[in-house]
Amino acid sequence: MAPRSLFFLFLLVVIIPIHGFGASFRPPGRSILRSLGDSDAPDVAVDLNATTFDAALKGSPATFAVVEFFAHWCPACRNYKPHYEKVARLFNGPEAVHPGIVFMARVDCAMKVNTNLCDRFSVSHYPMLLWGPPSKFVSSRWDPKQEKSEIQSIDDGRTAERLLNWINKRMGSSFSLDDEKFENENTLPRNASDPEQIARAIYDVEEATANAFEIILDHKMIKPDTRAPLIKFLQLLVAHHPSKRCRKGSAEILINFDDLWPSNPFLASSEEVIRLQEGDAAKNYWICGKEVPRGYWIFCRGSKNETRGFSCGLWVLLHSLSVRVGDGESQAAFTTICDFIHNFFICEECRRHFYNMCSRVSTHFNSTRDLTLWLWSTHNKVNERLMKEEKALHTEDPVFPKVMWPTKQLCPSCYHSLSRASSSSMQIDWNEDEVFHFLVNHYGNILVSSHMDSSVNGNRNDLSLADDIAASTNAVAVPIGAALGIALASCAFGALACFWRAQQKNRKQRKTWN
């Protein structure tokens, strides 16, 4: 037989069958993993260690937490991970089906850095699961013999189905591994008239603040004619944002505002111009901390992807600002809010409608009450207009339709009378004194930060120099000309602002000289 014929015979008899065998008999492990969830998808359970544990649980918006203590060398732990991840995908991450309800994390006890942390929680086997309110894990210990502890051991969570069943029993919920985003909104009992729900909106206010700042940066909206409106709004955030970390983040941006966005870019070096144009410098600043945005909404979550969310969070932010400003700041805060929406809210029709309502105001705001009630009335006018449009176009959220707010169920004393003006509208005679008291309580006293801001005029003891700026009653230190608008409303803060600005300038000059 010719050599060439022998070669083709070798291919036919030996090489091709071997190749076919390899294709037909792949290891089965990958298909098994896929039956539990996509193994290529990134993990959503949060890996924590001794350094990050307390901060992550303290800052979690969730009502409950599950913490898995495991060891990376443990075969049973490796096999359990797909089960744990399958449940975690319901609650964790931007694509969570039910965000903000259960925070799911894990700690690797085989890492020496975590030895003391695992000892704190009496880890006796792997994997071990603990359940409880996130705050109860912070700076605390757990012992299985401890009585009346809010932290509990999960004794039946060996599979995804059993773990979720355990959670459902504890919460009185009906979550399912088959739940789809926005399609299973009735799995957890909720009381829409419960005013305490607004307390969870602090996380959405942070989310809206971070999203607004991202939009401004992504669309390169900071220009010579928009610098002053943005500076004034950031001043307002530093003074009165309900979240401490957002106040701190806003303060850091303001302190470095001239460097990030020079008023005269022609005086900057060519390297600085390139850096500013690319926007790299601003990416190092997080207006509400590195944890935000989280990518999901809690209080402001709609029943559909395109409803509520950012616009709801922004309204809650504006209301919370309105009840926090002092009487002497009310007019400056009004113009600051109007100018911010006019220059930076990217929805053209919404921006135009809002600014038109601002332009129709002919009287000076002399008190917090004036500003608070104007913003409340404006929001109801927007709701009334959108109610009609959404009903005609069938774009309303069926679970959260637009209503005149607050509802009578939320605030009976806010109503003098309620009657039907037509088949499509109601005539309400509001008790504005009661409305004002309700708004102050709702957006001031109940809407609190996880960082311990407990009231509109709450006492603040964290008065380091940085927190003086973050918790002060007026604008932060910025270029003096831009700061005058709000600083004039408070002589005390005006002096602090000038002092802080001078300190920052001196520090930067010393660094340059050295």
Side-chain angles (χ1 to χ4, degrees):
M1 186 177 291
R4 178 172 294 181
S5 300
L6 288 172
F7 174 72
F8 282 114
L9 181 62
F10 176 77
L11 282 177
L12 183 64
V13 175
V14 179
I15 300 297
I16 293 176
I18 290 176
H19 177 74
F21 179 87
S24 301
F25 292 86
R26 289 174 181 166
R30 187 168 180 80
S31 62
I32 293 174
L33 289 179
R34 285 192 181 278
S35 70
L36 290 169
D38 187 357
S39 62
D40 291 333
D43 294 345
V44 292
V46 181
D47 286 299
L48 301 178
N49 57 43
T51 303
T52 60
F53 186 86
D54 284 351
L57 285 155
K58 181 180 180 181
S60 171
T63 307
F64 294 101
V66 177
V67 181
E68 176 198 6
F69 295 92
F70 74 102
H72 61 262
W73 49 258
C74 165
C77 298
R78 290 197 299 270
N79 292 335
Y80 182 66
K81 183 178 179 180
H83 291 275
Y84 194 70
E85 280 291 319
K86 193 170 184 181
V87 177
R89 291 186 195 286
L90 292 176
F91 305 111
N92 282 23
E95 297 304 314
V97 181
H98 307 291
I101 298 173
V102 181
F103 175 67
M104 299 193 65
R106 57 167 64 95
V107 175
D108 186 354
C109 293
M111 304 292 288
K112 287 188 176 181
V113 69
N114 295 328
T115 299
N116 291 336
L117 175 61
C118 295
D119 287 345
R120 270 172 49 190
F121 292 96
S122 306
V123 176
S124 58
H125 60 275
Y126 303 132
M128 183 175 118
L129 305 181
L130 293 182
W131 162 275
S135 61
K136 299 302 177 181
F137 285 89
V138 178
S139 302
S140 63
R141 308 180 68 85
W142 179 79
D143 188 291
K145 299 177 182 178
Q146 184 177 348
E147 295 183 3
K148 297 181 180 179
S149 173
E150 292 190 59
I151 297 177
Q152 297 177 273
S153 174
I154 298 178
D155 53 9
D156 187 17
R158 292 186 61 186
T159 65
E161 290 78 7
R162 288 165 69 171
L163 174 57
L164 189 58
N165 185 53
W166 192 97
I167 292 172
N168 280 331
K169 286 181 179 179
R170 287 300 178 279
M171 297 187 66
S173 53
S174 56
F175 300 124
S176 166
L177 295 174
D178 296 325
D179 286 351
E180 297 291 337
K181 196 172 183 180
F182 303 113
E183 293 182 7
N184 304 87
E185 297 304 307
N186 296 317
T187 51
L188 185 68
R190 83 167 104 186
N191 181 2
S193 65
D194 181 7
E196 295 299 324
Q197 286 194 29
I198 191 66
R200 290 166 59 77
I202 185 64
Y203 300 100
D204 291 347
V205 170
E206 292 176 338
E207 192 79 5
T209 306
N211 280 346
F213 189 60
E214 280 191 350
I215 290 170
I216 290 169
L217 295 181
D218 290 345
H219 290 270
K220 298 179 173 58
M221 301 173 79
I222 305 174
K223 300 172 184 176
D225 59 333
T226 62
R227 288 178 83 256
L230 181 57
I231 286 172
K232 289 180 180 179
F233 190 73
L234 288 170
Q235 289 174 320
L236 191 60
L237 297 186
V238 171
H240 299 299
H241 200 292
S243 165
K244 179 178 176 180
R245 58 180 154 202
C246 294
R247 294 198 306 270
K248 282 188 172 182
S250 300
E252 290 176 4
I253 293 169
L254 279 168
I255 289 164
N256 295 278
F257 198 92
D258 284 344
D259 296 331
L260 293 169
W261 300 284
S263 57
N264 190 348
F266 296 106
L267 298 179
S269 66
S270 57
E271 293 82 3
E272 287 178 324
V273 170
I274 293 173
R275 178 174 59 87
L276 293 169
Q277 288 175 341
E278 292 176 348
D280 291 337
K283 293 178 182 177
N284 296 323
Y285 293 88
W286 304 84
I287 196 167
C288 290
K290 291 184 178 180
E291 301 84 3
V292 186
R294 303 176 183 86
Y296 59 84
W297 305 94
I298 301 175
F299 175 82
C300 285
R301 187 174 190 242
S303 65
K304 298 190 290 186
N305 189 42
E306 64 272 15
T307 59
R308 305 189 83 213
F310 176 62
S311 60
C312 167
L314 189 59
W315 272 116
V316 177
L317 170 61
L318 297 182
H319 285 298
S320 69
L321 293 173
S322 74
V323 301
R324 283 172 163 78
V325 300
D327 289 342
E329 304 169 275
S330 56
Q331 180 62 32
F334 164 72
T335 56
T336 296
I337 289 172
C338 289
D339 288 344
F340 177 78
I341 297 297
H342 181 60
N343 286 283
F344 298 107
F345 195 62
I346 206 162
C347 172
E348 178 62 31
E349 183 178 353
C350 305
R351 173 173 60 188
R352 189 176 65 253
H353 279 294
F354 190 89
Y355 199 70
N356 285 342
M357 287 186 283
C358 291
S359 301
R360 288 196 290 267
V361 174
S362 58
T363 57
H364 192 278
F365 289 113
N366 296 312
S367 66
T368 306
R369 183 182 187 277
D370 292 342
L371 175 62
T372 300
L373 290 179
W374 175 82
L375 188 65
W376 158 76
S377 175
T378 298
H379 194 172
N380 268 340
K381 289 175 183 176
V382 171
N383 277 352
E384 189 173 19
R385 176 175 59 83
L386 291 178
M387 258 192 283
K388 297 174 182 177
E389 292 181 5
E390 292 178 354
K391 186 175 181 180
L393 298 170
H394 304 290
T395 57
E396 71 273 24
D397 189 317
V399 179
F400 302 99
K402 298 286 190 299
V403 294
M404 292 296 96
W405 196 88
T407 62
K408 196 165 187 177
Q409 191 176 16
L410 265 179
C411 182
S413 62
C414 292
Y415 290 71
H416 280 313
S417 64
L418 175 64
S419 59
R420 183 167 294 280
S422 65
S423 59
S424 60
S425 65
M426 300 296 293
Q427 182 70 38
I428 303 173
D429 181 14
W430 295 101
N431 182 338
E432 293 192 346
D433 287 336
E434 288 298 316
V435 170
F436 176 62
H437 291 312
F438 170 84
L439 295 172
V440 169
N441 187 53
H442 199 71
Y443 290 113
N445 295 325
I446 299 177
L447 178 63
V448 293
S449 170
S450 59
H451 297 269
M452 305 308 295
D453 281 0
S454 59
S455 69
V456 178
N457 299 310
N459 295 322
R460 300 181 177 101
N461 298 317
D462 51 339
L463 294 180
S464 64
L465 182 58
D467 282 348
D468 261 335
I469 299 304
S472 62
T473 57
N474 218 301
V476 76
V478 293
I480 294 175
L484 287 177
I486 297 182
L488 288 175
S490 170
C491 295
F493 184 77
L496 176 61
C498 293
F499 168 76
W500 177 257
R501 185 63 179 175
Q503 291 291 99
Q504 293 302 310
K505 288 295 185 184
N506 289 338
R507 287 180 190 173
K508 290 181 180 179
Q509 287 173 2
R510 284 197 296 271
K511 287 181 181 179
T512 302
W513 292 336
N514 293 334

